[in-house]
Each structure stands twice: as C-alpha cells, then as structure tokens.
Amino acid sequence: MRSDRFAPTRRSVLAGLAAAAALAPAGAVHAAAAGRDLRAIPSSGERIPAIGMGTWITFNVGDDAALRAERRAVLQAFFDAGGGMIDSSPMYGSAEEVLGALLPQVSGTGTLFSATKVWTPVFESGPEQMAESRRLWGLDRFDLMQVHNLVDWEEHLETLKADKAAGRARYIGATTSHGRRHGELETVMAREPLDFAQFTYNILDRAAERRLLPLAAERGIAVIVNRPFRRKALIRRFEGKPLPDWAGEVGAANWPQFLLKFILGHPAVTCAIPATTRAEHLRENMGALAGPVPDEAMRRRMIAYVEGL
Amino acid sequence: MFPYTAEVLAAAVAGYNADYWLAAALAPLVLGGALWLAAYPKPGGTRLIGLLLAAAWAWVGGVFHLQVFSVINFMAPVYALMFLAQAGLLLWLMAVRRAVVFERTGGWPRRIGVAFALFALVGQPIVALLLGGPIGSVRLAGVAPGPTALLTLALLIMSSGRASLALAVIPMLWCAAAGATGLLLGVAEDQGLVVVAAAAGAALIATRGRPRTGV
Ligand SMILES: NC(=O)c1ccc[n+]([C@@H]2O[C@H](COP(=O)([O-])OP(=O)(O)OC[C@H]3O[C@@H](n4cnc5c(N)ncnc54)[C@H](OP(=O)(O)O)[C@@H]3O)[C@@H](O)[C@H]2O)c1
C-alpha cells in the first residue's frame, strides 16, 4: 500500500494554490473545488480531502471478529468515498493494530494519508514507539507523525525532524484537544517548523478562532480539526431539532454535515477528522466533501442559528 | 474518558472467558472453597485462604490486565501492578505473617461476609445475566477484577486482625475505579459493584475491633 499518493508535484502545488484561492470568502457560500473539497497542505501544496477520519475509541475493538467486521465496513466506506487522512495514536488501545489488520482487507486504499502520533513521556522510547506504529499499520513511513497532546514535545520534535529528514515521516505536527493547552500549542506553532497542528474546533468550541487558526494561516501550518462533534455531544444536542431552511445553501442535508460544513468554512482549516463506528455515519460525514462551503457571514448565521435552538 | 466502549469491554471479556474457559470455570469453585474455609475455620486455613486469594489477584493482574485489558486500555499495566501488589500483600500478610485470622464463631460479621461473598461468587453473574448481558461476557470471581475484589472484601469482613483494613485498600480502590467506569460507559454491573463494595467497606470498618478467637 502506498501512502504518498498526494506527493507534491509542480502541478499539484499550483492546483493546491488554486484550491486555497477558491476558499477565499466570496459571497454567502462558495463551491468546493471540482465538486470535492480538497485542501492544500501549505508547506507542500499537496492536496488532501478536507474530511478525514479519527479512530479514538471507534477502532479500539481488540480481537473481536464481529466488531472488526463492522469497522472494516466503515473503512471500506471511507475509501469508497475517496477518503484520505486517518488519524490514530498509540494511546488508542488496539486502534492501530486494527487499522493495520483491516487496511489490506479493503480496496481503494491508495488515497490513504496515514497520520499517527508519538505519545510517551519517556523521550528515549519515542523512536521505538513510532517503529511499532509503522509495524502495526504495515507502513514503511507515515504521511504525518504528530506529538500527541504535546507530551514531551521539545524532545519528541527533534526526533520527528530527524525522521522527516530520513524519510520516516513526510510531515510532522503536534496535537492537543484541551483549551488550556492552546497557549503551549501556540508557542510550538510559532517556534517550530510544523507542517500540521491538530486541535479542537467546532460550532460551539470556537476558542481556536482567537489565536490558533490565525496563527496557522500566518505560519503556513495545515490544521486538523479534532472532536468536530464534541464526541457526539453536539449531534445529541441538535438531533431532533430542525435544520434551518437554508441548510441546503451550505450543502448540508443533515446535522453532521451542517456541523462539518461550519468547520470547513474556516479558510485556515485543512481537514476535519470525525470518528465513527458506523458506515452510514461515515457516508454522511464524507458527504460534507461535496457542495458549497459557507463563508464567514454564513458561518456567523450558522452560529446564531444553533445558539438560538 | 475511556478509550473503549461498553460493547468493546464486553467483547474483550467474552474473548478472555473463551480463551481461559478452564480457569473461568474452576476459579469460582476454588474460591468457593476459600469461603468455606473462612466460614468453617480449620488450622492452617488462613494460610490457604491467603494463597488462594493471592493466586486470584496475581492471575487477574498478570493475565486479565496485562494480556487482555491492555489491548484496549493503556492504563491496564498500572492496574496490573495494583493487582500484583495486592497479591504480594495477601501472600505476606495472610500466608506468611498470618496477620489476618478467621474465627470459629463469627457471629453477624460472618453472616454478612458470607452474604457478600455469595454475591461476588454467584449473585453478580446472575444479576449481569438478568440485566441482559450475554453469558460469555459474565465476569467471574478469581478471573475478573470486580468480583475478585468484592470477594476479597467479603472474606476480610469475616476475619479479624489488624491487617484486614490494609488488605481492603486496593480492593476498595478498584471497586471505586470500576464504578466510575461503569458510570461513564453505562455498565450497570459496574455501577452496582461500587454500591455493594461501599456497603462491604462500611461493614468491614464496623466489624473491626471486636474481640475474636482466631485459629
Ligand atoms: N489530542 C489529540 O490528538 C486528539 C484529541 C481528541 C481527538 N483526536 C482525534 O480526533 C478524532 C475525532 O474526535 P473524537 O473521536 O473525540 O470525537 P468526534 O469525532 O467529535 O465524535 C465522534 C462521535 O461522533 C459520532 N458520529 C460521527 N459521525 C456521526 C454521524 N454522521 N451521525 C451521528 N453520530 C456521528 C460517533 O458515533 P457513532 O459511532 O455512533 O457514529 C462518535 O461517537 C479522534 O477520533 C482522534 O483521532 C485527537
């Protein structure tokens, strides 16, 4: 399985810049480039689908054959929809092992953009942990290796830089999901040559709008948005409530798509990574790759709507 | 936030029970023997009860936590250490030092202890089944952590000696952790466990300091 499907060429860089230009606010909504929302990684211009998939809890199913079969269907649906980024971590129990076992069992995996993390407070064991992740996924290298939750980031980032130079990772990044760590992530983003930063952003958790998202745009750092549904809390909160009449104008046919479209409407966002255990949910989420993307005015209208519910 | 769902936990326990079916079948019977010894003390009984309980805690730490639970939970090695430490404490304080003793005539602590022990051995699995859990995922004393911790508390209620309270610390901690997990994941069995364990803990404290005759 190759994971460098999106390796940058001059053409892809130009296409990436065109896609980025297409995301500039231009009216109430604007169309996703070529019908499918692909976004450029600023450091290379390589384009990846703007919806990926997370694996926290959902792919930690251990050895159970029935649960693995269900996740295989999710994975197949992901690649059938042209999915790219899959995000995992050694912290997610058996998720990496399950992914590694299931990837060879599904078709269309050439578009995989493999992203995982290093997560150990013992700096010396970082390289070993990353080698184990490569073994579990069945890959020679990761597309993206991130420092999980900024654990021991100063030391791990040095290893990641060396790994990038040695070709063991194509891109490097750092993640958090806690608002209280935003200040620290900001420091890392400002100081280090990150390709990616991953943090939480959704229609109700918008703290990242203040500093992280503008900083990412300024520094040319790709943004991965985690917890787009606040771990299902947003879906539970809004399901059963009516979508606005104008949801179609932002390309949303259901609440998950409405919530994802809000995120994708931010021009600094590169990819949102909702997690799911169900193939039909996966298809709904990937549906957000198509159709118009809300601009800033429309995004404010979306916020006002949900806050009024 | 736990990295797994109730469904995944049940599947992991079912796989564990299937893989170690002989241990799962024998452990409650063997620990039933420990209960018998605690209820009808014999010379050398404390030592044997200590050995049996220590073996159960060591099994749960070394096999359940380290080999099975660690696949889905990164905290499992920490739990394994807790269980192995408790096994060591049981060995030292009961089998070697005999700092816990079981009485010939136990009175109401004995009756309460027997009730909790029977709940740990047979009551909890029956409740789990009545709550709709699949038979393969039933958690059994001696191989699963919750009922093992509860059975240990029950036997300690039936005992006397200064070490009983020290030996109850880790079982209580485990039951509290399991209860928190049960609350967050919606596992009724674990929510029930913390309530029963709290009652057992209260009974243990209430029964300390009574004069007894040990063997
Ligand atoms: N520090 C970090 O690095 C960090 C922290 C947090 C998260 N992450 C990453 O970000 C990913 C996403 O975050 P998350 O998993 O915490 O939360 P999330 O994606 O916001 O929410 C996941 C939940 O949403 C539900 N869901 C997904 N699509 C749905 C749909 N179409 N309809 C109804 N329900 C739907 C899923 O339930 P169903 O299974 O029923 O669909 C699942 O319970 C993680 O998996 C992980 O890869 C990283």
Side-chain angles (χ1 to χ4, degrees):
Chain A
M1 175 186 332
R2 282 169 55 78
S3 59
D4 56 353
R5 160 79 192 260
F6 302 103
T9 58
R10 188 167 164 272
R11 214 172 62 185
S12 70
V13 171
L14 291 175
L17 293 175
L23 285 170
V29 290
H30 40 89
R36 230 165 68 86
D37 197 343
L38 299 180
R39 304 217 169 169
I41 300 166
S43 66
S44 68
E46 176 183 354
R47 294 191 310 153
I48 57 172
I51 301 290
M53 182 173 74
T55 57
W56 164 245
I57 299 179
T58 54
F59 271 69
N60 180 19
V61 298
D63 301 328
D64 189 75
L67 292 174
R68 282 190 178 211
E70 287 174 15
R71 299 312 177 268
R72 188 187 314 121
V74 170
L75 209 54
Q76 187 62 68
F78 182 67
F79 288 111
D80 287 348
M85 181 181 292
I86 296 181
D87 175 78
S88 195
S89 166
M91 184 189 152
Y92 300 173
S94 57
E96 290 192 300
E97 188 204 329
V98 171
L99 277 172
L102 297 184
L103 280 169
Q105 298 176 23
V106 299
S107 56
T109 57
T111 53
L112 171 67
F113 187 95
S114 53
T116 194
K117 304 173 194 118
V118 57
W119 176 72
T120 165
V122 185
F123 157 65
E124 288 77 11
S125 61
E128 198 184 311
Q129 189 181 66
M130 290 185 267
E132 175 66 359
S133 291
R134 286 193 294 274
R135 189 188 69 75
L136 289 172
W137 285 63
L139 296 172
D140 295 334
R141 66 171 177 178
F142 279 103
D143 291 303
L144 170 61
M145 180 59 75
Q146 307 154 94
V147 180
H148 196 157
N149 277 345
L150 299 170
V151 171
D152 222 1
W153 64 266
E154 273 158 317
E155 286 82 2
H156 286 315
L157 265 183
E158 291 312 310
T159 318
L160 262 55
K161 286 180 213 167
D163 276 5
K164 185 178 171 184
R168 283 187 287 272
R170 296 203 300 128
Y171 300 100
I172 61 174
T175 80
T176 186
S177 57
H178 299 290
R180 63 179 185 277
R181 305 293 298 276
H182 280 189
E184 196 176 355
L185 182 59
E186 193 183 332
T187 307
V188 184
M189 289 168 68
R191 212 199 281 170
E192 297 289 342
L194 297 186
D195 299 300
F196 279 84
Q198 183 186 143
F199 45 82
T200 299
Y201 178 56
N202 59 52
I203 202 162
L204 294 189
D205 301 309
R206 301 191 302 273
E209 282 175 357
R210 283 199 296 275
R211 307 201 48 103
L212 294 183
L213 285 160
L215 180 62
E218 183 193 317
R219 297 266 299 150
I221 298 172
V223 169
I224 300 172
V225 170
N226 64 37
R227 305 186 85 231
F229 301 141
R230 205 191 256 179
R231 214 86 238 95
K232 205 158 186 161
L234 297 186
I235 292 180
R236 288 209 185 90
R237 179 159 169 172
F238 299 129
E239 71 188 352
K241 305 242 166 69
L243 272 174
D245 301 340
W246 40 267
E249 288 177 41
V250 297
N254 47 52
W255 274 110
Q257 288 175 4
F258 187 87
L259 297 169
L260 290 172
K261 284 290 187 180
F262 170 82
I263 294 166
L264 297 186
H266 197 293
V269 169
T270 311
C271 183
I273 50 168
T276 181
T277 56
R278 298 172 57 174
E280 66 269 28
H281 287 171
L282 188 284
R283 281 188 278 273
E284 271 177 1
N285 299 344
M286 295 305 275
L289 280 176
V293 178
D295 69 1
E296 198 46 33
M298 185 57 105
R299 280 167 25 90
R300 294 301 128 193
R301 192 177 175 196
M302 293 168 91
I303 293 170
Y305 182 78
V306 298
E307 288 184 346
L309 283 175
Chain B
M1 175 54 83
F2 298 92
Y4 53 88
T5 58
E7 187 188 25
V8 168
L9 179 61
V13 175
Y16 168 65
N17 283 344
D19 287 349
Y20 298 99
W21 62 269
L22 191 59
L26 290 182
L29 295 177
V30 173
L31 290 178
L35 170 60
W36 182 267
L37 272 179
Y40 302 101
K42 309 254 179 317
T46 295
R47 184 162 291 149
L48 192 53
I49 294 170
L51 282 174
L52 293 175
L53 284 180
W57 280 80
W59 174 280
V60 176
V63 181
F64 179 81
H65 283 310
L66 269 189
Q67 288 181 34
V68 179
F69 203 32
S70 64
V71 173
I72 58 168
N73 190 351
F74 57 85
M75 285 296 286
V78 176
Y79 301 148
L81 276 182
M82 262 172 77
F83 274 67
L84 293 173
Q86 176 75 3
L89 277 176
L90 286 162
L91 266 186
W92 177 246
L93 292 173
M94 287 181 82
V96 179
R97 295 287 305 274
R98 295 183 68 225
V100 170
V101 287
F102 292 90
E103 293 181 307
R104 283 184 214 283
T105 52
W108 67 271
R110 184 178 114 162
R111 282 194 289 277
I112 290 180
V114 169
F116 279 117
L118 287 176
F119 182 79
L121 286 167
V122 290
Q124 174 159 322
I126 290 173
V127 170
L129 291 176
L130 291 177
L131 288 171
I135 190 154
S137 307
V138 155
R139 303 190 216 163
L140 297 164
V143 287
T148 304
L150 189 57
L151 180 74
T152 306
L153 289 173
L155 296 186
L156 290 173
I157 292 173
M158 299 165 72
S159 74
S160 58
R162 279 166 300 132
S164 313
L165 286 178
L167 285 171
V169 173
I170 291 179
M172 287 301 294
L173 282 177
W174 176 260
C175 291
T181 313
L183 213 60
L184 284 166
L185 296 185
V187 184
E189 200 178 335
D190 284 326
Q191 294 168 12
L193 175 71
V194 73
V195 176
V196 180
L204 179 65
I205 291 166
T207 52
R208 292 313 88 185
R210 288 159 42 90
R212 299 181 190 207
T213 338
V215 286

